[in-house]
Amino acid sequence: AKRDLTNLPLNLKARGVEFQILYVGRGYTDGDVLVYVTAEKVLICGRMLFAQTIPWLRDSYINEWNATLEQILKLDAEKVVPGTGELATRDDLIAFKGYLTDLYSAVKNQFDQGVPKDDIRWKVDLSAYQNWADYESNLRYNIEDAYDQVEAARKGGG
């Protein structure tokens, strides 16, 4: 079902605290919303950020997520509350955006060279992220999911 996010951003005030509910684009899902507490420069972003963690990206929007993170980085947030894990920072947002960029670019490069899906996980080197949580358990699936998205974009003319 298509989500109706046309009423966002929504500016609210509760108990003297002003905050915004924002939608800036697709990422982990097509309806991820953010809560930004403006005076405290705190961004609650749910599963839009996985700080130093490799999430399972099944059914996410890997390539669009980067553009969404670009929009998020335009906010002047100093503290970021991810969906799971410790309190994060802008640097964590930048690092996660780097992971998504590297993942998509590396897979796209291999796809363009004609590497079949069954072989691609052996060709893509994302060892720069090997110290992130869930690297061993989720990276292989993310490479395959990125391959599917690159293939779909090619078939769709993207």
Side-chain angles (χ1 to χ4, degrees), residues 49-107:
L49 169 65
F50 292 82
Q52 308 243 341
T53 300
I54 305 291
W56 189 26
L57 300 177
R58 173 59 93 205
D59 296 328
S60 68
Y61 301 86
I62 298 169
N63 199 30
E64 291 180 50
W65 204 336
N66 275 328
T68 301
L69 288 170
E70 280 295 322
Q71 295 302 313
I72 291 171
L73 286 166
K74 289 179 182 178
L75 300 170
D76 59 348
E78 294 173 359
K79 296 177 184 157
V80 182
V81 181
T84 57
E86 302 293 321
L87 187 64
T89 65
R90 289 181 60 76
D91 289 342
D92 291 310
L93 283 167
I94 292 166
F96 186 66
K97 183 180 180 302
Y99 165 70
L100 293 173
T101 300
D102 292 348
L103 169 67
Y104 195 85
S105 297
V107 169

Side-chain angles (χ1 to χ4, degrees), residues 1 3 7 13 26 41 48-49 53 56-57 68 75 90 121-122 140 155 158:
R3 293 168 180 28
N7 60 337
K13 187 172 186 175
R26 298 196 300 188
K41 296 185 178 185
M48 193 60 76
L49 169 65
T53 300
W56 189 26
L57 300 177
T68 301
L75 300 170
R90 289 181 60 76
R121 70 178 166 162
W122 310 112
R140 174 179 72 129
K155 288 180 180 176

Side-chain angles (χ1 to χ4, degrees), residues 54 130 132-140:
I54 305 291
Q130 66 188 348
W132 285 20
D134 300 326
Y135 175 85
E136 291 292 330
S137 58
N138 290 335
L139 184 64
R140 174 179 72 129

Side-chain angles (χ1 to χ4, degrees), residues 143-157:
I143 290 170
E144 293 170 0
D145 292 341
Y147 186 95
D148 292 342
Q149 290 185 33
V150 168
E151 185 176 46
R154 287 289 190 256
K155 288 180 180 176

